[in-house]
Amino acid sequence: MKTLKELVRKNIWSLAPYSSARNEYSGKVARVFLDANENPYNKPLNRYPDPLQTDLKAEISKIKGVAEENIFLGNGSDEAIDLVYRVFCEPGKDNVVAIEPTYGMYKVCADINDVEYRKVLLNDRYQFNADELLEACDDSTKVIWLCSPNNPTGNNLLREEIEKVLHNFHGIVVVDEAYSDFSAAKTFRSEIRQYPNMIVLNTLSKAWGCAAIRLGMAFASEEIIKIFNKVKYPYNVSLPTQQHALEAMKRKFEVEEWIRRLLDERTRLMQAVALLPICEKVYPSDANFFLVKVTDAQSIYNYLVEKGIIVRNRSRIELCNNCLRITVGTKSENTELLSALRQY
Ligand SMILES: *Cc1c(COP(=O)(O)O)cnc(C)c1O
């Protein structure tokens, strides 16, 4: 691996971050806040939130088994994805390499930041080959994007291949584990000490049922987290979001129950879809959604929209010709989808 100093953009490495009013005092019990030009009325929303989300990180640390200094919290994982570009990639010069197909935001953020995005196609089993990915890299490749379980394909990537990339790439490897709560595979977040070049992404948007509050996590070395904290907006996670996330952390058992239920429903739904005449292939899934190849994705999609049922048409994505991506819903939602598909 190159040193972090070699990988981080020069202007970011030498950046003097904004020092917020709430950052400047510490250690004392503060009672009277006349430092941040806030309004003293309208509690508790009148106060700026904790810029480093200390209480929330303490809870996340316990649940995820990652030390607080290795946690970054953002406005969804999407903030962390954008930060990866802003921290590591020099616009118009550096490039990143990613598997294809995968989560669309990696490419969108590359385009926004004017960073070349190199795609390496998965094979017909939606797996990748580490050597192929590494061959696509050159000296200006700063980041490799991996997503496991992958979106939109639904499957876990092979662990040995991910490890091979981690061992052999000179830059940053992002492993997006947005769906890992649904998977039996061992997560990579417990291995951030072994891999100083790895950033693991998690989110409250999927298994935790909190997409509305916007809370994403990045786990990485303390050095990388410090740079992220320097570049992020000072108050990037709102007080209501921090409070709701803390509440969610207390309902861990409920989340586990949701996951069990969704996995049972996934099995039922996949088996039933496989029997439909419109179905050509159901792809294996390690997530709360699955990909299905059908006879005519566009017209089935349109038909379902007419019935008020929305699935994701992934037909125009490479290797996903005529594929619909179906998210597992409640039992009654899934039943409604199945009966609509039976009538098609
Ligand atoms: C849904 C999803 C996310 C979550 O993004 P948030 O901004 O945290 O809601 C991240 N990565 C992948 C691959 C996803 O599918």
Side-chain angles (χ1 to χ4, degrees):
M1 180 194 171
K2 291 184 181 174
T3 63
L4 210 51
K5 190 176 176 184
E6 290 171 294
L7 290 170
V8 172
R9 294 168 65 199
K10 281 194 181 57
N11 60 315
I12 300 298
W13 187 261
S14 59
L15 177 72
Y18 174 73
S19 176
S20 64
R22 267 321 100 85
N23 267 344
E24 282 179 350
Y25 75 93
S26 68
K28 308 259 169 35
V29 178
R31 290 177 302 108
V32 181
F33 292 101
L34 305 176
D35 57 344
N37 298 347
E38 298 150 336
N39 190 320
Y41 306 112
N42 199 34
K43 281 178 185 68
L45 296 179
N46 60 327
R47 298 295 176 197
Y48 280 106
D50 175 0
L52 292 172
Q53 309 99 20
T54 313
D55 295 344
L56 180 53
K57 279 181 188 165
E59 288 310 303
I60 289 178
S61 171
K62 284 186 231 160
I63 283 176
K64 298 285 182 176
V66 175
E68 290 165 50
E69 59 270 23
N70 298 117
I71 303 174
F72 164 84
L73 299 181
N75 185 349
S77 328
D78 291 343
E79 180 180 358
I81 292 168
D82 189 52
L83 273 177
V84 166
Y85 286 102
R86 295 203 287 145
V87 164
F88 296 106
C89 301
E90 201 56 42
K93 177 173 170 284
D94 290 333
N95 68 74
V96 303
V97 168
I99 54 170
E100 177 72 14
T102 193
Y103 184 46
M105 280 305 286
Y106 313 145
K107 167 85 166 62
V108 171
C109 287
D111 291 346
I112 290 170
N113 288 285
D114 191 21
V115 171
E116 183 196 345
Y117 185 88
R118 301 181 176 178
K119 302 171 180 178
V120 177
L121 267 193
L122 297 173
N123 64 24
D124 56 0
R125 305 185 65 190
Y126 292 146
Q127 288 296 344
F128 78 104
N129 177 276
D131 292 328
E132 252 179 71
L133 221 56
L134 293 165
E135 274 162 30
C137 299
D138 62 20
D139 201 47
S140 300
T141 307
K142 292 297 188 67
V143 180
I144 289 180
W145 292 98
L146 297 174
C147 181
S148 182
N150 190 26
N151 180 5
T153 61
N155 60 304
N156 278 321
L157 299 177
L158 292 172
R159 190 173 188 87
E160 311 86 79
E161 296 300 307
I162 297 178
E163 285 171 350
K164 199 166 176 185
V165 170
L166 284 164
H167 283 290
N168 294 297
F169 181 48
H170 61 249
I172 300 295
V173 181
V174 182
V175 183
D176 187 343
E177 296 191 327
Y179 299 97
S180 61
D181 298 295
F182 297 103
S183 164
K186 189 162 172 275
T187 66
F188 274 92
R189 69 171 181 270
S190 52
E191 289 173 41
I192 44 182
R193 275 187 210 297
Q194 285 94 299
Y195 301 113
N197 59 336
M198 178 173 70
I199 299 173
V200 176
L201 302 182
N202 269 203
T203 178
L204 289 199
S205 297
K206 307 291 159 58
W208 286 82
C210 289
I213 71 170
R214 311 305 302 132
L215 192 93
M217 298 157 246
F219 306 117
S221 73
E222 188 173 355
E223 291 71 27
I224 292 178
I225 297 300
K226 277 188 178 152
I227 299 171
F228 273 29
N229 285 336
K230 202 164 82 155
V231 177
K232 75 179 183 73
Y233 290 148
Y235 305 105
N236 61 326
V237 179
S238 75
L239 179 73
T241 294
Q242 293 189 43
Q243 287 175 334
H244 276 95
L246 270 171
E247 284 305 307
M249 294 296 134
K250 293 183 192 149
R251 299 196 310 264
K252 185 165 175 281
F253 295 105
E254 196 179 350
V255 173
E256 283 164 3
E257 173 55 28
W258 291 337
I259 293 170
R260 275 194 293 276
R261 230 185 277 170
L262 290 170
L263 293 184
D264 285 348
E265 275 299 297
R266 183 185 75 192
T267 305
R268 177 176 84 94
L269 192 54
M270 286 171 78
Q271 286 171 351
V273 167
L275 297 174
L276 298 170
I278 53 150
C279 176
E280 303 211 321
K281 177 169 180 157
V282 174
Y283 290 90
S285 168
D286 299 293
N288 65 331
F289 63 88
F290 60 96
L291 205 57
V292 53
K293 192 186 273 294
V294 292
T295 47
D296 185 348
Q298 188 62 52
S299 82
I300 294 166
Y301 172 83
N302 292 342
Y303 162 82
L304 289 173
V305 170
E306 284 302 308
K307 301 224 157 198
I309 300 170
I310 316 298
V311 297
R312 198 87 201 265
N313 183 3
R314 300 281 73 186
S315 281
R316 280 178 290 276
I317 287 186
E318 270 182 295
L319 300 182
C320 296
N321 188 29
N322 265 330
C323 285
L324 298 174
R325 193 191 68 191
I326 299 176
T327 308
V328 180
T330 63
K331 193 179 180 74
S332 70
E333 289 170 337
N334 303 331
T335 300
E336 205 181 318
L337 170 72
L338 284 170
S339 66
L341 287 175
R342 287 193 188 102
Q343 287 160 33
Y344 175 77

Short mmCIF file of all heavy atoms in Angstrom, two decimals, residues 75-79 81 103 106 147 149 151 176 178-179 202-206 211 214-216, ligand 1:
data_model
loop_
_atom_site.label_atom_id
_atom_site.label_comp_id
_atom_site.label_asym_id
_atom_site.label_seq_id
_atom_site.Cartn_x
_atom_site.Cartn_y
_atom_site.Cartn_z
N ASN A 75 -24.44 11.68 6.39
CA ASN A 75 -25.80 11.84 5.88
C ASN A 75 -26.06 10.73 4.85
O ASN A 75 -26.03 10.95 3.64
CB ASN A 75 -25.89 13.23 5.25
CG ASN A 75 -27.29 13.57 4.79
OD1 ASN A 75 -28.18 12.72 4.73
ND2 ASN A 75 -27.50 14.82 4.43
N GLY A 76 -26.28 9.51 5.35
CA GLY A 76 -26.37 8.33 4.51
C GLY A 76 -24.98 7.86 4.11
O GLY A 76 -24.01 8.60 4.26
N SER A 77 -24.88 6.62 3.60
CA SER A 77 -23.58 6.16 3.09
C SER A 77 -23.17 7.01 1.91
O SER A 77 -21.99 7.11 1.58
CB SER A 77 -23.61 4.72 2.59
OG SER A 77 -24.49 3.95 3.29
N ASP A 78 -24.17 7.60 1.26
CA ASP A 78 -23.87 8.42 0.10
C ASP A 78 -22.89 9.55 0.43
O ASP A 78 -22.05 9.90 -0.39
CB ASP A 78 -25.17 8.98 -0.51
CG ASP A 78 -26.02 7.88 -1.14
OD1 ASP A 78 -25.47 6.78 -1.39
OD2 ASP A 78 -27.21 8.12 -1.40
N GLU A 79 -22.97 10.09 1.64
CA GLU A 79 -22.01 11.12 2.01
C GLU A 79 -20.59 10.54 2.07
O GLU A 79 -19.63 11.15 1.59
CB GLU A 79 -22.35 11.76 3.37
CG GLU A 79 -21.32 12.83 3.74
CD GLU A 79 -21.55 13.54 5.08
OE1 GLU A 79 -22.54 13.26 5.76
OE2 GLU A 79 -20.69 14.38 5.41
N ILE A 81 -19.50 7.97 0.42
CA ILE A 81 -19.07 7.67 -0.95
C ILE A 81 -18.49 8.94 -1.60
O ILE A 81 -17.41 8.93 -2.19
CB ILE A 81 -20.25 7.11 -1.77
CG1 ILE A 81 -20.64 5.72 -1.23
CG2 ILE A 81 -19.91 7.03 -3.27
CD1 ILE A 81 -21.96 5.18 -1.75
N TYR A 103 -23.70 -0.71 -7.43
CA TYR A 103 -24.49 0.43 -6.94
C TYR A 103 -24.16 1.70 -7.75
O TYR A 103 -23.00 2.06 -7.90
CB TYR A 103 -24.16 0.63 -5.47
CG TYR A 103 -24.95 1.70 -4.75
CD1 TYR A 103 -26.33 1.80 -4.90
CD2 TYR A 103 -24.31 2.58 -3.88
CE1 TYR A 103 -27.04 2.78 -4.20
CE2 TYR A 103 -25.01 3.55 -3.18
CZ TYR A 103 -26.38 3.64 -3.35
OH TYR A 103 -27.08 4.59 -2.67
N TYR A 106 -21.62 5.11 -7.00
CA TYR A 106 -20.15 5.20 -7.16
C TYR A 106 -19.82 5.95 -8.45
O TYR A 106 -18.93 6.79 -8.49
CB TYR A 106 -19.48 3.82 -7.19
CG TYR A 106 -19.92 2.85 -6.12
CD1 TYR A 106 -20.01 1.48 -6.39
CD2 TYR A 106 -20.24 3.28 -4.83
CE1 TYR A 106 -20.40 0.57 -5.43
CE2 TYR A 106 -20.65 2.37 -3.86
CZ TYR A 106 -20.74 1.02 -4.17
OH TYR A 106 -21.14 0.12 -3.22
N CYS A 147 -18.82 -4.11 -3.60
CA CYS A 147 -20.09 -4.05 -2.88
C CYS A 147 -20.53 -5.48 -2.63
O CYS A 147 -20.73 -6.24 -3.57
CB CYS A 147 -21.10 -3.30 -3.75
SG CYS A 147 -22.72 -3.11 -3.00
N PRO A 149 -23.03 -7.91 0.15
CA PRO A 149 -23.73 -8.35 -1.05
C PRO A 149 -23.86 -7.22 -2.06
O PRO A 149 -24.07 -6.07 -1.66
CB PRO A 149 -25.11 -8.78 -0.54
CG PRO A 149 -24.92 -9.06 0.92
CD PRO A 149 -23.83 -8.15 1.38
N ASN A 151 -25.31 -4.88 -5.08
CA ASN A 151 -26.55 -4.32 -5.61
C ASN A 151 -26.27 -3.98 -7.07
O ASN A 151 -25.28 -3.30 -7.33
CB ASN A 151 -26.89 -3.05 -4.80
CG ASN A 151 -28.15 -2.38 -5.25
OD1 ASN A 151 -28.86 -2.88 -6.12
ND2 ASN A 151 -28.44 -1.23 -4.67
N ASP A 176 -18.49 -2.04 0.39
CA ASP A 176 -19.81 -1.54 0.79
C ASP A 176 -20.65 -2.72 1.28
O ASP A 176 -21.03 -3.59 0.49
CB ASP A 176 -20.47 -0.85 -0.41
CG ASP A 176 -21.78 -0.15 -0.04
OD1 ASP A 176 -22.34 -0.45 1.03
OD2 ASP A 176 -22.23 0.69 -0.84
N ALA A 178 -23.69 -2.57 2.78
CA ALA A 178 -25.03 -2.04 3.10
C ALA A 178 -26.02 -3.15 3.44
O ALA A 178 -26.94 -2.95 4.24
CB ALA A 178 -25.55 -1.21 1.92
N TYR A 179 -25.83 -4.33 2.84
CA TYR A 179 -26.80 -5.42 3.02
C TYR A 179 -26.25 -6.55 3.88
O TYR A 179 -26.85 -7.63 3.93
CB TYR A 179 -27.22 -5.97 1.64
CG TYR A 179 -27.89 -4.91 0.80
CD1 TYR A 179 -27.18 -4.20 -0.15
CD2 TYR A 179 -29.23 -4.60 1.00
CE1 TYR A 179 -27.78 -3.20 -0.91
CE2 TYR A 179 -29.84 -3.61 0.26
CZ TYR A 179 -29.11 -2.91 -0.69
OH TYR A 179 -29.72 -1.92 -1.42
N ASN A 202 -21.50 0.85 5.98
CA ASN A 202 -22.75 0.29 6.51
C ASN A 202 -23.78 1.41 6.50
O ASN A 202 -23.42 2.57 6.37
CB ASN A 202 -22.57 -0.16 7.98
CG ASN A 202 -22.15 -1.62 8.13
OD1 ASN A 202 -22.38 -2.22 9.16
ND2 ASN A 202 -21.51 -2.18 7.11
N THR A 203 -25.04 1.05 6.69
CA THR A 203 -26.09 2.06 6.68
C THR A 203 -27.24 1.65 7.60
O THR A 203 -27.42 0.46 7.86
CB THR A 203 -26.62 2.26 5.24
OG1 THR A 203 -27.68 3.22 5.27
CG2 THR A 203 -27.17 0.96 4.64
N LEU A 204 -28.00 2.62 8.06
CA LEU A 204 -29.23 2.31 8.79
C LEU A 204 -30.42 2.22 7.84
O LEU A 204 -31.55 2.00 8.26
CB LEU A 204 -29.51 3.37 9.87
CG LEU A 204 -28.62 3.41 11.11
CD1 LEU A 204 -29.33 4.17 12.24
CD2 LEU A 204 -28.24 2.03 11.62
N SER A 205 -30.16 2.39 6.54
CA SER A 205 -31.27 2.50 5.57
C SER A 205 -31.93 1.18 5.19
O SER A 205 -33.02 1.18 4.65
CB SER A 205 -30.78 3.15 4.27
OG SER A 205 -30.34 4.46 4.51
N LYS A 206 -31.29 0.06 5.42
CA LYS A 206 -31.83 -1.20 4.92
C LYS A 206 -32.35 -2.05 6.08
O LYS A 206 -33.48 -1.88 6.49
CB LYS A 206 -30.77 -1.92 4.08
CG LYS A 206 -30.19 -1.03 2.96
CD LYS A 206 -31.19 -0.75 1.87
CE LYS A 206 -30.90 0.48 1.01
NZ LYS A 206 -29.64 0.53 0.31
N ALA A 211 -34.31 4.42 6.57
CA ALA A 211 -33.84 5.15 5.38
C ALA A 211 -34.18 6.64 5.47
O ALA A 211 -33.44 7.49 4.97
CB ALA A 211 -34.45 4.54 4.12
N ARG A 214 -31.54 9.18 7.26
CA ARG A 214 -30.24 9.38 6.61
C ARG A 214 -29.09 9.21 7.59
O ARG A 214 -28.57 10.17 8.14
CB ARG A 214 -30.13 10.77 5.93
CG ARG A 214 -31.27 11.18 5.05
CD ARG A 214 -31.57 10.18 3.96
NE ARG A 214 -30.43 9.95 3.11
CZ ARG A 214 -30.00 8.73 2.76
NH1 ARG A 214 -30.61 7.65 3.18
NH2 ARG A 214 -28.96 8.61 1.97
N LEU A 215 -28.71 7.98 7.83
CA LEU A 215 -27.50 7.75 8.61
C LEU A 215 -26.68 6.62 8.00
O LEU A 215 -27.13 5.48 7.93
CB LEU A 215 -27.78 7.44 10.09
CG LEU A 215 -26.45 7.53 10.86
CD1 LEU A 215 -26.23 8.90 11.45
CD2 LEU A 215 -26.30 6.45 11.88
N GLY A 216 -25.49 6.98 7.56
CA GLY A 216 -24.56 6.00 7.01
C GLY A 216 -23.30 5.96 7.84
O GLY A 216 -22.99 6.91 8.57
C1 LIG B 1 -29.03 1.37 -0.34
C2 LIG B 1 -27.56 1.34 -0.47
C3 LIG B 1 -26.76 2.18 0.30
C4 LIG B 1 -27.38 3.07 1.31
O1 LIG B 1 -27.21 4.37 1.09
P1 LIG B 1 -27.71 5.41 2.20
O2 LIG B 1 -27.19 6.69 1.64
O3 LIG B 1 -27.03 5.03 3.49
O4 LIG B 1 -29.18 5.32 2.30
C5 LIG B 1 -25.39 2.09 0.18
N1 LIG B 1 -24.82 1.20 -0.65
C6 LIG B 1 -25.57 0.36 -1.37
C7 LIG B 1 -24.91 -0.65 -2.23
C8 LIG B 1 -26.94 0.41 -1.33
O5 LIG B 1 -27.68 -0.42 -2.08
#
